[in-house]
Amino acid sequence: MRTAFTSSAELLELVAADGRPLPEWMVAREAFMTGRDEAAIRDEIARRLTITRTALARGFKEPQRSLSGLTDGAAARLHALAEPPVRDELWNRALAYAVAINEVSACGGRIVAFPTAGSSGIVPGLLWAWRDEREGDLSATSPRLQDAVAVAGAVGAVIAARATLSGAAGGCQAECGAAAAMGAGALAWLSSGDPSRVFNAAALSLKNSLGLACDPVAGLVEVPCVKRNAFLAGNALVALTLDSAGILSAVPFDEVVSAMKAIGDMMSPQLKESAEGGLAMTPTGLRVKAAMEAGFPDAPRS
Amino acid sequence: MSAPALFDVIGPVMIGPSSSHTAGVARICFLARKAFGERPEKARVTFHGSLAATWRGHGSDKAAFAGLLGLHPEDERLSFARELAAREGLVVDIVADKEGGAHLHPNTLRVELEAGGRKLSISGCSIGGGAVRVENVNGFPASISGELDAVLVRHRDRPGVIAGVTGILAEAGVNIATAASRRNQKGDEALLVVELDGVPPGSALAEIRALPEVLAAVHLPSVVS
């Protein structure tokens, strides 16, 4: 089996030549690359999906509070909002779910790096919101939900091949930006089953997060990361909406990813996870840093 | 670069908040504990670079305690590993070396373990997304990712030792993915690292330990579930 690709164009050619749908081909590729059978790959996808659902439930049930106090149960408040100003349940769930999962990550809970810990709420938040709002019969063991994960993985794999999925190497465009593109692609698959729409939705989403800095306060994966999971889940839903209307990205996905790489290379190291620029260097950011260096003397102790 | 595998993009399963500062540290300390083979009486973990600056906020200390307790990097008990260690009487000295280590990878840590006069020192770095590389074992350069099961063999630098080890693994039907041997100087002590495509049976480990010129052999399990 030919498993190597460095662009979505190449990937889609391989998939077309093979004849199986994109996610099935991705699962077969994983089985081939790791010497396991396809059922084992699907079981592992199901296990990872279940871990994200457990984190999601925990984020609502046990409002998360971090040692720094920067994470303080925002998901639970978001979920309890009685009259959300935007009245769409898919939208509202996606935002709350993304934050819930990422708050659990920020507070030392068990999550799946999706593709990283700092962006771990976006894709599963979108998938579970879709499930709860649109297809309530789906579960972690449903091939359809597993397919959506495989499609998200295909989008992420192209970004990793042409650019990076590391904030230290490419800024937050490579973490939350990449996650949103993955999520937009996964939802485009669920709503259309069309692989070209996957990469159109991903291109639309990624274009809108190019240049995003990774400037976390005190180097902690909390500010702006946790709330950004909600914003970028929203970004993915906007991309999905545009794609559903047949609006095409003028710049194709592979070129957008190359642009992301070029921008990442141009970005100062101060804006790439070093906590030496941007929000990290604001008076507030520096205060949190000083508190951390003193061992968070004001933090509640368990 | 060609596109990575699916579970390299969607994964690892880990304990938050940071793949490089929590998951990576848990993995390196887990590998150190497995390489040591028993619970240390004394342990010291030194964080360099970016780890030295942010270890408190990222729970890197808890990750270190968890790894040294032998908890798998996916184990949720990581979040109260300090308390578990206290209950088990495991004392770990956490040192943040902010000044030194400028020449090292920004996420480097050094783990020193001691029990009954035996000592182990391991250095490794967390290279992103939870991936790690153990770069030094007791002064011997190495390159261990922890992705695969591995066998570490400390031996005297004499003809036939490596052939003996690989022969036993072949007999056991375990494929060798990578192999590297380093020695201090000719005829002196050497370290053989063999990464495998499967779990080596305990009987193979026992046979390797019984080989002439072999001083010690341990199985390093994969950190990936």
Side-chain angles (χ1 to χ4, degrees):
Chain A
M1 181 177 188
R2 214 189 121 194
T3 60
F5 58 88
T6 56
S7 66
S8 67
E10 213 178 337
L11 166 62
L12 293 182
E13 264 175 45
L14 286 173
V15 171
D18 178 84
R20 278 175 288 189
L22 170 64
E24 277 183 39
W25 185 86
M26 282 299 294
V27 170
R29 171 182 183 264
E30 189 74 4
F32 182 84
M33 286 171 83
T34 58
R36 293 192 281 174
D37 60 30
E38 291 178 26
I41 303 301
R42 287 199 173 268
D43 286 349
E44 183 57 28
I45 294 177
R47 186 177 82 91
R48 293 183 187 207
L49 270 170
T50 304
I51 289 167
T52 63
R53 187 79 202 195
T54 305
L56 161 55
R58 185 173 171 192
F60 291 141
K61 207 171 125 211
E62 308 161 23
Q64 303 288 301
R65 194 182 154 78
S66 64
L67 214 51
S68 69
L70 295 172
T71 299
D72 63 347
R77 291 203 298 284
L78 206 44
H79 203 41
L81 181 62
E83 291 192 31
V86 177
R87 301 216 174 160
D88 177 82
E89 274 307 295
L90 177 62
W91 175 268
N92 289 315
R93 280 185 197 273
L95 306 194
Y97 289 11
V99 174
I101 296 168
N102 205 248
E103 283 193 329
V104 168
S105 179
C107 296
R110 192 156 176 247
I111 50 101
V112 179
F114 221 127
T116 63
S119 62
S120 58
I122 296 166
V123 180
L126 287 162
L127 293 180
W128 288 118
W130 179 277
R131 182 262 173 206
D132 290 349
E133 220 22 67
R134 299 287 165 86
E135 296 189 61
D137 55 331
L138 295 183
S139 71
T141 55
S142 309
R144 195 169 145 73
L145 204 55
Q146 294 165 4
D147 282 355
V149 172
V151 168
V155 173
V158 172
I159 299 175
R162 301 181 74 75
T164 173
L165 294 173
S166 150
C172 193
Q173 57 171 1
E175 295 205 23
C176 288
M182 291 162 63
L187 293 192
W189 176 265
L190 284 174
S191 62
S192 74
D194 178 348
S196 67
R197 286 198 38 195
V198 166
F199 288 101
N200 184 54
L204 289 167
S205 182
L206 190 57
K207 277 193 300 184
N208 196 47
S209 44
L210 291 181
L212 207 53
C214 177
D215 53 357
V217 164
L220 302 171
V221 196
E222 295 188 71
V223 174
C225 325
V226 170
K227 295 173 195 111
R228 183 166 292 165
N229 272 254
F231 280 103
L232 271 290
N235 201 76
L237 290 174
V238 174
L240 176 72
T241 308
L242 298 186
D243 173 72
S244 299
I247 296 169
L248 297 180
S249 171
V251 182
F253 182 68
D254 294 336
E255 294 181 29
V256 177
V257 179
S258 297
M260 182 193 124
K261 166 84 165 73
I263 292 170
D265 290 346
M266 285 178 219
M267 280 167 83
S268 158
Q270 290 169 309
L271 298 176
K272 291 190 281 192
E273 214 182 342
S274 59
E276 288 168 352
L279 293 171
M281 296 306 281
T282 57
T284 302
L286 294 172
R287 260 199 311 278
V288 175
K289 186 178 180 214
M292 180 180 74
E293 282 168 356
F296 293 124
D298 301 331
R301 301 289 165 184
S302 54
Chain B
M1 157 186 166
S2 180
L6 184 63
F7 294 131
D8 288 341
V9 176
I10 294 162
V13 175
M14 54 166 283
I15 309 305
S18 165
S19 52
S20 48
H21 288 177
T22 322
V25 171
R27 285 179 165 190
I28 290 170
C29 290
F30 175 79
L31 289 171
R33 165 68 190 263
K34 294 294 173 183
F36 195 57
E38 62 177 313
R39 207 185 73 195
E41 285 160 7
K42 270 171 68 179
R44 183 164 65 181
V45 176
T46 308
F47 295 136
H48 298 287
S50 154
L51 263 174
T54 63
W55 65 274
R56 272 198 186 86
H58 287 165
S60 311
D61 55 330
K62 298 175 194 170
F65 274 86
L68 294 179
L69 284 167
L71 297 183
H72 192 274
E74 280 190 19
D75 196 318
E76 239 174 339
R77 286 175 290 175
L78 185 151
S79 57
F80 49 92
R82 262 184 179 273
E83 292 73 14
L84 279 179
R87 211 177 303 155
E88 284 200 21
L90 172 68
V91 180
V92 182
D93 194 10
I94 302 277
V95 182
D97 173 28
K98 283 188 197 162
E99 310 308 322
H103 57 293
L104 302 168
H105 182 283
N107 291 327
T108 298
L109 61 146
R110 182 184 173 88
V111 186
E112 294 157 283
L113 307 178
E114 205 178 321
R118 285 178 61 234
K119 284 184 183 180
L120 174 72
S121 167
I122 275 189
S123 295
C125 48
S126 179
I127 55 178
V132 301
R133 191 170 56 232
V134 170
E135 294 189 316
N136 193 295
V137 179
N138 274 343
F140 293 99
S143 179
I144 305 167
S145 71
E147 302 270 331
L148 298 170
D149 279 72
V151 172
L152 261 54
V153 184
R154 196 161 61 82
H155 63 95
R156 286 190 203 90
D157 180 31
R158 301 277 193 281
V161 180
I162 295 173
V165 172
T166 56
I168 289 166
L169 292 168
E171 277 294 305
V174 189
N175 188 51
I176 293 174
T178 73
S181 178
R182 301 292 187 118
R183 65 184 182 193
N184 285 331
Q185 52 185 335
K186 196 175 172 185
D188 198 356
E189 208 175 280
L191 180 75
L192 170 65
V193 178
V194 188
E195 289 185 301
L196 304 164
D197 285 328
V199 181
S203 57
L205 259 294
E207 279 180 58
I208 291 170
R209 287 190 193 108
L211 286 173
E213 315 297 351
V214 165
L215 304 167
V218 291
H219 168 219
L220 279 193
S222 162
V223 296
V224 182
S225 58

